[in-house]
Amino acid sequence: MKILMVCLGNICRSPIAEGVMQKLAFDNGFNWEVDSAGTGSYHIGSHPDHRSIKVAKQFGIDISQQKARAIKKEDFEIFNHIYVMDRQNYDDVISLAANADQMNKVKLLIPERIVSDPYYDDALFLPVFEMITTQCEKLFAQLKNEN
Ligand code: 4NP
């Protein structure tokens, strides 16, 4: 199973989603490839936002060594599922897809609501972490039956 988590900057939300899903897979003995990327290029090469690093660390997940990168067309060939955080991410990622098969790989991480950008509000990092974790647990339970 190969999963790509995507947000705008690849420094706040998708690094958390990568870390959480990676840990779930690893702790359950699954050798999954979980990565993350951004639709924007402002933060390429940066480590995650210190507030994302901190909240993940509180829950035993080290995301400090991740480095931001931009999503690229080849990602659609590599990953089975591409999960995005909000509608803008969805539109931006879909615009890079080459065909319907690739478009079908792109889904909102949480279908019934968006994970909004916590960048401008420190208080949002914990709820964002919790929201992502709850959904990753659900998704892991579904996806582990796919392989
Ligand atoms: P992310 O949050 O998409 O969750 O990584 C953002 C971080 C920084 C910016 C945008 C979103 N920014 O424009 O600098």
Side-chain angles (χ1 to χ4, degrees):
M1 180 62 65
K2 295 182 182 177
I3 296 171
L4 184 66
M5 303 294 194
V6 176
C7 62
L8 173 58
N10 193 209
I11 58 166
C12 294
R13 294 164 290 177
S14 58
I16 291 175
E18 174 187 333
V20 167
M21 192 59 104
Q22 232 163 32
K23 185 174 191 311
L24 274 168
F26 182 82
D27 288 353
N28 286 281
F30 287 79
N31 185 24
W32 287 5
E33 183 175 332
V34 185
D35 194 6
S36 65
T39 57
S41 48
Y42 333 97
H43 298 285
I44 290 172
S46 300
H47 292 293
D49 187 282
H50 64 96
R51 295 162 295 178
S52 287
I53 292 175
K54 186 176 165 200
V55 73
K57 194 174 170 194
Q58 284 167 0
F59 291 87
I61 302 173
D62 179 8
I63 62 168
S64 65
Q65 298 311 305
Q66 292 183 26
K67 282 205 180 148
R69 72 171 179 89
I71 187 169
K72 50 189 191 295
K73 284 176 174 285
E74 300 86 76
D75 288 323
F76 290 89
E77 289 156 28
I78 295 166
F79 293 94
N80 305 107
H81 298 284
I82 299 175
Y83 292 108
V84 301
M85 304 295 142
D86 62 35
R87 292 258 159 221
Q88 186 63 54
N89 302 155
Y90 184 83
D91 292 345
D92 292 341
V93 173
I94 284 287
S95 74
L96 297 172
N99 55 46
D101 270 358
Q102 294 191 355
M103 285 184 189
N104 287 334
K105 294 184 175 188
V106 186
K107 290 143 212 141
L108 279 174
L109 177 68
I110 308 179
E112 59 277 9
R113 63 161 305 173
I114 61 163
V115 182
S116 47
D117 180 5
Y119 192 67
Y120 296 103
D121 186 349
D122 295 354
L124 289 178
F125 280 80
L126 180 58
V128 158
F129 181 89
E130 290 172 335
M131 206 189 295
I132 288 173
T133 299
T134 301
Q135 182 64 10
C136 283
E137 285 167 355
K138 267 196 219 169
L139 266 179
F140 176 71
Q142 293 165 15
L143 296 175
K144 70 180 188 195
N145 299 316
E146 278 188 22
N147 69 356

